[in-house]
Amino acid sequence: MLAYIIRRLLLVIPTLFGIMLVNFAIIQFAPGGPVEQAIAELQGQGIDATSRFSGTGGDVQGSGGEPAAGTSSQGGVSKYRGAQGLRPEIIAEIEKQFGFDRPAHERFFKMVGDYLRFDFGESYYSNKRVVDLVIEKMPVSISLGLWTTIITYLISIPLGIRKAVHDDSRFDTWTSGLIVAGYAIPSFLFAILLIVVFAGGRYFDLFPLRGLFSDGWDDFPWWKQVLDYLWHITLPVLAMVIGSFATLTMLTKNSFLDQIKLQYVLTARAKGLDENQVLYGHVFRNAMLIVIAGFPALFISVLFTGSLLIEVIFSLDGLGLLGFEAAINRDYPVMFATLYFFTLVGLLLQIVRDVVYTLVDPRIDFESRAV
């Protein structure tokens, strides 16, 4: 197993390289990059804004009137939208500021080299190092993703097993109704409902509405810090669990139903084993493989895409919101750093998944298989 883990870890490097290359290439064709946004800002602010790039306070428009769209003041055609009327040296200065004065392949390989040293550069707009931004936002996303995943699995697996054992019973029917309702209601709508009911919206004021910690949290004793953290995280996690557990519960139920009908289960029961021994000694290890397979995708989706609206609703400043704002503002260093982080976490979780496979079912031997 150790040799397999080492091989998988080595494969992480080319996989990361390929993903970053594809996304870097796609970004090159996306309009509205940082240079175009800076040009639009200059065009909106006029003469004074231009002086920070050109070193002069002169008029940015050509003396012969406004050039046609897409042309510079020198009459040449610009490759940037909205660059009409700006002198070429101003555009060149903007390109240099954002590092776009070099060819795309040079920028890509420089980025790869920097990432190997864990140097993610600085944000274009916040004037902070990207790694500091990611570290600053990480506690929120880790809290939401980890607690949601743990609670979802703790609820879904026992519930799915019980539904499989009592298939077509009254318990199975009414729990299926609750699951369908939970699946049909988007997590952000449930979050709003929780705020209305429990966060001072109309009925009760039991939980805080924003943030991960209270003011003065650093001065609290450790036990009060823990309670304050759990107090703040309860409603966001509950809203995300409602939208996550339905699919996993039904997956667990169907997986157990498929295994319960097989011959080896009938044989185990014929040998006189009680129901718990049959379920958890024989069925569990086979039925859980498909559930474990979905763990990396579930965790990453909860950590990033699933938490975006929850972060906005509960005023939690996490990686999901950071990545979204970076995409809107074309903040490429932040975009690629968050992409790098989530891709790396996903690849490592796939290795963890394979290790858990062997713990659940020791018959699985990855050493004898090609990677």
Side-chain angles (χ1 to χ4, degrees), residues 132-329:
D132 293 335
L133 283 173
V134 172
I135 293 175
E136 178 184 339
K137 316 297 184 183
M138 194 176 295
V140 171
S141 294
I142 293 296
S143 295
L144 291 176
L146 192 61
W147 283 114
T148 301
T149 304
I150 291 174
I151 295 175
T152 298
Y153 270 77
L154 289 177
I155 294 175
S156 299
I157 293 176
L159 180 59
I161 295 174
R162 184 172 176 82
K163 285 175 64 63
V165 173
H166 300 281
D167 187 35
D168 290 332
S169 66
R170 183 176 299 178
F171 171 81
D172 181 45
T173 301
W174 69 261
T175 53
S176 294
L178 293 178
I179 290 173
V180 170
Y183 184 77
I185 300 175
S187 58
F188 71 91
L189 286 182
F190 193 76
I192 295 174
L193 175 63
L194 291 176
I195 290 175
V196 171
V197 176
F198 297 108
R202 173 167 294 187
Y203 299 99
F204 304 101
D205 191 6
L206 302 178
F207 294 95
L209 185 58
R210 58 192 305 126
L212 199 60
F213 308 105
S214 298
D215 294 336
W217 185 83
D218 292 333
D219 298 327
F220 294 168
W222 69 267
W223 59 269
K224 192 173 181 180
Q225 288 180 337
V226 173
L227 292 178
D228 183 77
Y229 165 76
L230 294 176
W231 184 45
H232 280 76
I233 206 69
T234 297
L235 293 187
V237 169
L238 183 58
M240 296 184 67
V241 167
I242 292 298
S244 303
F245 85 101
T247 301
L248 185 59
T249 300
M250 298 308 298
L251 181 65
T252 303
K253 175 191 173 182
N254 294 332
S255 180
F256 267 79
L257 281 177
D258 290 340
Q259 295 294 321
I260 288 174
K261 298 175 183 178
L262 297 181
Q263 184 63 41
Y264 76 92
V265 176
L266 299 177
T267 303
R269 287 171 175 166
K271 290 181 178 179
L273 298 179
D274 61 42
E275 195 64 20
N276 285 335
Q277 289 177 315
V278 172
L279 286 176
Y280 297 101
H282 294 77
V283 177
F284 185 83
R285 64 174 60 181
N286 295 318
M288 286 304 297
L289 294 179
I290 190 173
V291 177
I292 295 172
F295 173 75
L298 173 65
F299 183 75
I300 292 298
S301 65
V302 169
L303 190 65
F304 184 63
T305 56
S307 63
L308 174 59
L309 291 176
I310 300 300
E311 289 178 13
V312 173
I313 291 172
F314 288 98
S315 300
L316 298 171
D317 198 4
L319 290 176
L321 187 58
L322 175 67
F324 175 75
E325 291 177 344
I328 294 297
N329 296 323

Side-chain angles (χ1 to χ4, degrees), residues 35-177:
V35 175
E36 290 179 330
Q37 292 198 7
I39 290 173
E41 179 185 351
L42 291 182
Q43 295 283 42
Q45 293 180 356
I47 297 173
D48 294 336
T50 313
S51 63
R52 63 177 175 171
F53 293 105
S54 64
T56 64
D59 192 350
V60 299
Q61 302 296 332
S63 58
E66 182 176 347
T71 62
S72 69
S73 61
Q74 306 300 320
V77 177
S78 174
K79 61 183 178 180
Y80 299 110
R81 295 180 179 179
Q84 63 272 15
L86 287 181
R87 294 193 297 272
E89 59 268 22
I90 298 176
I91 298 177
E93 187 67 25
I94 298 174
E95 289 180 329
K96 184 177 180 180
Q97 178 190 9
F98 292 107
F100 281 78
D101 56 331
R102 289 176 296 180
H105 67 277
E106 290 186 13
R107 287 185 278 121
F108 174 73
F109 285 108
K110 181 181 183 302
M111 181 185 72
V112 171
D114 291 339
Y115 279 20
L116 291 176
R117 301 191 304 270
F118 293 96
D119 179 8
F120 301 104
E122 291 189 1
S123 169
Y124 286 158
Y125 301 103
S126 65
N127 296 321
K128 290 184 179 180
R129 292 197 312 154
V130 175
V131 66
D132 293 335
L133 283 173
V134 172
I135 293 175
E136 178 184 339
K137 316 297 184 183
M138 194 176 295
V140 171
S141 294
I142 293 296
S143 295
L144 291 176
L146 192 61
W147 283 114
T148 301
T149 304
I150 291 174
I151 295 175
T152 298
Y153 270 77
L154 289 177
I155 294 175
S156 299
I157 293 176
L159 180 59
I161 295 174
R162 184 172 176 82
K163 285 175 64 63
V165 173
H166 300 281
D167 187 35
D168 290 332
S169 66
R170 183 176 299 178
F171 171 81
D172 181 45
T173 301
W174 69 261
T175 53
S176 294

